[in-house]
Amino acid sequence: MMIIDIYPFINGKAVVWVKDSVFTEDNSPVVAKCGLINNIDEFIIPPIYDNIQYIGTDTVAVNIGFKEGKKYQYSGRWGIVDLNNQILVPLKYTDMICWEDGIMFSAEYRRKWGVINIKGEVIIPFKFDWISWPDKNGNIPACKAGKYGCLNMKGNVILPFVYDSVTFK
């Protein structure tokens, strides 16, 4: 196994991309896989995934089937594992954004965005074109029917969907 890329360490862990150094029988290109290592270079999450989002929490967004340069809708499925590689949320989402708390996630399912928790429960229904993560006050930028607005943590609209963009500082 050959390491081809390593991301910066966050809380003693880093995403690592590897390639198997053994050629396949048909001489086809060997695809890189990624996993998560600790600060003594041991894999905590084995390099079996096609993409990983790790932000330093006890949960990791993982993808199987991701192809670089392809649209997310046609390129693999995202889910959530813990640091023991136990699946917490099934790999069925076309895109995912990890929130800072590590227990909530914006996710895309069947071309609509919503918010799920670490148990896979829907917190905000999948009816938006896009949903970001919350700012420090719990305001969540979102897009619906091509217009931007803002939701609170319960999914209630606190800024109507009438704007061309939204920005929080």
Side-chain angles (χ1 to χ4, degrees), residues 65-75:
F66 178 82
K67 301 261 188 279
E68 193 68 43
K70 297 281 185 180
K71 289 185 178 183
Y72 280 103
Q73 296 91 315
Y74 309 109
S75 190

Side-chain angles (χ1 to χ4, degrees), residues 27-46:
N27 292 323
S28 61
V30 179
V31 178
K33 296 288 184 177
C34 57
L36 192 70
I37 61 170
N38 61 20
N39 57 2
I40 56 173
D41 297 335
E42 299 170 328
F43 277 99
I44 324 173
I45 295 179

Side-chain angles (χ1 to χ4, degrees), residues 52-68:
I52 287 181
Q53 291 180 36
Y54 176 67
I55 61 168
T57 63
D58 291 339
T59 55
V60 182
V62 294
N63 177 286
I64 296 284
F66 178 82
K67 301 261 188 279
E68 193 68 43

Side-chain angles (χ1 to χ4, degrees), residues 33-168:
K33 296 288 184 177
C34 57
L36 192 70
I37 61 170
N38 61 20
N39 57 2
I40 56 173
D41 297 335
E42 299 170 328
F43 277 99
I44 324 173
I45 295 179
I48 59 173
Y49 296 105
D50 296 310
N51 206 344
I52 287 181
Q53 291 180 36
Y54 176 67
I55 61 168
T57 63
D58 291 339
T59 55
V60 182
V62 294
N63 177 286
I64 296 284
F66 178 82
K67 301 261 188 279
E68 193 68 43
K70 297 281 185 180
K71 289 185 178 183
Y72 280 103
Q73 296 91 315
Y74 309 109
S75 190
R77 295 291 178 251
W78 289 92
I80 303 295
V81 299
D82 64 16
L83 294 177
N84 294 314
N85 199 35
Q86 297 299 307
I87 294 175
L88 303 173
V89 176
L91 283 76
K92 68 178 189 178
Y93 299 96
T94 49
D95 201 354
M96 191 166 276
I97 299 171
C98 300
W99 290 15
E100 287 180 6
D101 62 8
I103 57 172
M104 302 281 280
F105 308 87
S106 300
E108 183 184 35
Y109 184 67
R110 296 186 177 165
R111 299 185 184 220
K112 290 294 177 182
W113 283 82
V115 174
I116 59 171
N117 66 16
I118 198 63
K119 296 177 184 176
E121 299 166 332
V122 176
I123 305 303
I124 298 175
F126 290 89
K127 62 181 185 179
F128 298 91
D129 300 337
W130 173 78
I131 293 181
S132 185
W133 59 89
D135 69 5
K136 64 182 178 180
N137 300 311
N139 303 314
I140 308 166
C143 181
K144 188 173 184 179
K147 292 293 182 176
Y148 290 85
C150 191
L151 307 169
N152 66 15
M153 297 294 280
K154 293 182 179 178
N156 298 321
V157 176
I158 58 172
L159 186 64
F161 289 88
V162 296
Y163 299 96
D164 293 329
S165 68
V166 291
T167 305
F168 290 99

